[in-house]
Amino acid sequence: MIFIIYGAVIFIATLLGAFVGLGGGVVIKPVLDVINFHPLVQVAFFSSCAVFSMSITSTAKHLKNKTPINMKFVLLFALGSVLGGFTGNKLFSLALANSSSPNIVKGIQSSLLCALMILVIASVNLNVKKFSIKNPALISLTGLLLGMTAAFLGIGGGPINVAVLTILFSFTMRDAAVYSVAIIFFSQLSNLITSFVNTHFEGFDVKYLLVIIPAAILGGFFGAKLNRKCNEKTIRTVFTASVCAVAALSLYNAVTAFIK
């Protein structure tokens, strides 16, 4: 039964991830936390595997369809994201090692995620001043900070990426979703490599990847198709509704984690 539940969660999350740039992990992490079938470290691992699989499929789909992508920008942003991914993963490991209970770390993660989702909703829907940053160093620095945040929280960082891309680089929601998924590929690759080096995935319930990876690939494929078919207004509406749901779920996870 848990295989079916995980498959459904991963498919819906990665479909939304590729469709509106959520990344998928921002949905997977809080939902699997609520299900509470696996410990925190394994939930983060499953989330990374799903988001990485989705990003490969979705990016390949966009390249096949010749979706306009500025690869110089992606690589600069991704360079920072990779370094940030290593740093955020290390911070997560240190937090677990120095905490009296994994629930405290879970509560901190959920609280930060809830606060960030509220900021994302405000930034995307309010009349926030837009910039058009071109400096390569600033692009990479932005990627580093976002990659570090995403890795520590155990998410792909999609909605945060989208908000930053629309504000700092003046992308439309549609284009921000495409770039967000491409950037997530690099940050999650570094996250998985770091996890492997630190743990060699020993003790991980890897049989669940048999349903997680195929569901993520399917979600990424259909989400990428929807992204190119739907208009800007639809993408913004679905994005906002999804982020509101994630914020509410994260708040619930934070409260339950701290009172245990």
Side-chain angles (χ1 to χ4, degrees):
M1 184 63 182
I2 197 70
F3 273 88
I4 296 173
I5 294 172
Y6 273 27
V9 169
I10 300 301
F11 175 75
I12 294 169
T14 52
L15 185 145
L16 286 171
F19 179 21
V20 298
L22 284 178
V26 75
V27 177
I28 296 167
K29 176 65 167 57
V31 172
L32 295 193
D33 280 345
V34 170
I35 295 171
N36 201 30
F37 191 80
H38 284 97
L40 198 61
V41 174
Q42 291 203 44
V43 166
F45 171 67
F46 291 154
S47 178
S48 291
C49 288
V51 171
F52 182 62
S53 301
M54 177 276 296
S55 68
I56 293 174
T57 307
S58 179
T59 302
K61 180 72 175 172
H62 284 301
L63 290 174
K64 182 181 178 181
N65 292 341
K66 297 182 179 179
T67 302
I69 298 177
N70 183 336
M71 288 307 299
K72 180 181 177 182
F73 174 85
V74 170
L75 292 174
L76 282 170
F77 205 96
L79 174 64
S81 295
V82 168
L83 295 174
F86 282 116
T87 306
N89 196 286
K90 185 65 176 177
L91 288 173
F92 175 68
S93 298
L94 288 172
L96 277 179
N98 292 283
S99 175
S100 58
S101 168
N103 279 330
I104 294 176
V105 179
K106 180 179 175 180
I108 292 171
Q109 285 181 317
S110 298
S111 299
L112 287 173
L113 185 56
C114 179
L116 285 171
M117 292 305 97
I118 292 171
L119 289 175
V120 166
I121 294 166
S123 66
V124 169
N125 290 280
L126 298 179
N127 188 23
V128 179
K129 183 180 178 182
K130 301 292 196 307
F131 301 88
S132 188
I133 293 175
K134 304 292 184 183
N135 185 288
L138 289 179
I139 294 172
S140 291
L141 177 61
T142 304
L144 187 148
L145 294 173
L146 292 177
M148 183 172 64
T149 302
F152 177 76
L153 295 178
I155 62 174
I160 307 170
N161 288 350
V162 169
V164 169
L165 289 169
T166 55
I167 294 172
L168 296 186
F169 306 102
S170 296
F171 285 116
T172 64
M173 285 287 294
R174 182 199 295 274
D175 289 340
V178 175
Y179 279 99
S180 174
V181 172
I183 291 161
I184 284 167
F185 166 82
F186 292 98
S187 62
Q188 289 306 304
L189 176 62
S190 72
N191 197 13
L192 287 170
I193 290 172
T194 304
S195 295
F196 177 75
V197 170
N198 291 337
T199 68
H200 294 285
F201 303 146
E202 292 180 2
F204 282 28
D205 212 351
V206 293
K207 64 179 181 289
Y208 282 88
L209 296 182
L210 294 174
V211 68
I212 287 172
I213 291 176
I217 290 172
L218 286 173
F221 177 81
F222 288 109
K225 290 188 72 172
L226 283 173
N227 175 268
R228 303 322 295 175
K229 287 185 176 181
C230 294
N231 58 36
E232 179 83 2
K233 183 179 179 181
T234 300
I235 291 173
R236 185 181 296 273
T237 300
V238 174
F239 179 88
T240 302
S242 301
V243 174
C244 284
V246 170
L249 194 56
S250 298
L251 179 60
Y252 170 81
N253 284 335
V255 172
T256 54
F258 283 129
I259 64 176
K260 284 183 179 179

